Structure formats: structure tokens, C-alpha cells
Amino acid sequence: MDLERVDRITAGAVGEPGERTFFLQAREGERTITILVEKEQVELLGTSILEILATVGRETGEGPPSDELGLEPPLEPLWRAGRLSIGYAEERDLMLLEIEELIEQDEQEEEADGEPEGESPPEDEGPEPGRVRLWATREQMLALARHGAAVAERGRPKCRYCGNPIDPQGHMCPAMNGHRESAGR
């Protein structure tokens, strides 16, 4: 499924810190696509966008302000994202975000991975993952990177030693041999 030139692209989260659900959402005309993603995917997408924009060699405007980038109802995701790929098409002066559906391996496939060498499991390709290709301007993608970083930042604070999230009651930090790092630090 392709959206040739999105009117809007955003990332957002619903729920309380520590229990939030993250989404990517794009709209072209009347068509809106919502995909379930992980917080880390939003963070890495933002970083990748900035890295690509740094190599483009063109001035990129600000894009839409963050207050215009909230999620639009209804939040009915097509599926959960597995692989996200991003690139820049110089001839179109647009960025491409390709999202591939996460296909869970069932128990039989996982058991087949442990078979001895030389024995191949029966060929069962399974369902073809869904794919969405979203074309957006550099400005839209820069705004997505900024907004996505702000959304991710609203979560639980990260431990300064191990980088894991800290719950309100603290957490058992592996870098401190299990000693508690409190949320107030």
C-alpha cells in the first residue's frame, strides 16, 4: 500500500508512562493509516531521519508545529510494525518510510530453527507481511523526528547508569549490582 505524498505524518502514544502504546500515523486525503510501533522504533526513526537530512545538502524548513501533530481518532492500527526502512529520493525530493508488518513466528517455526544441520524443515512460507510505503517532504519528516523525540521523552526517566527506565518506586539497576536507583534522582 502506497501513500504517494502524505498530507500529514506523526507519531504519538496513548496511556500512562511505562504502559504506553505507540503509533505511527499518516494521512493522504481522506485515507488515514495507523500502525502500532514500539517506543524504540519511534526513537530510532527520529535519529535516522536526522542522519539522512544531514547528508541531503539542502536547507530543510521547520515543517508543521508539534501542536498540530497529535494522533487523529480512530486509533485502529492495521498491524504492528516489524521493520522500518527510511530513505531519500533525490529526484523526487521526498523521503520514503517503508513499514513492514511484524509476523510472529509460531512454535513450530521456532522448533525448526533448532534442527540439526543438513535437515531442512518443510517449506512453509507463511503469510506475506503487510507493507506500507509513505512518501513525505523533508519538512514533514523533520517535524516527525522532533515530535517523536518529544513523545518518547514524556515517558519514565532513564537510569543514568544502565539506561533502563525507572519506575516511580525505582528499579534494580544491573550496573549497580542490583542496588536501587530511585526515580527522584
Side-chain angles (χ1 to χ4, degrees), residues 23-95:
F23 300 94
L24 281 176
Q25 191 176 68
R27 180 173 30 86
E28 180 184 50
E30 297 296 314
R31 185 180 194 183
T32 300
I33 293 175
T34 304
I35 306 289
L36 194 61
V37 293
E38 297 294 329
K39 175 182 177 179
E40 292 79 12
Q41 288 175 306
V42 172
E43 292 172 325
L44 289 171
L45 177 60
T47 301
S48 297
I49 290 169
L50 296 177
E51 288 174 358
I52 290 171
L53 289 175
T55 65
V56 167
R58 293 184 181 183
E59 177 110 7
T60 301
E62 289 292 310
S66 192
D67 62 351
E68 293 179 11
L69 294 178
L71 294 170
E72 295 178 343
L75 288 178
E76 298 171 357
L78 289 175
W79 27 258
R80 179 178 293 278
R83 184 177 57 90
L84 275 62
S85 304
I86 188 162
Y88 174 69
E90 189 172 359
E91 68 282 357
R92 293 182 70 183
D93 191 24
L94 292 175
M95 294 186 76

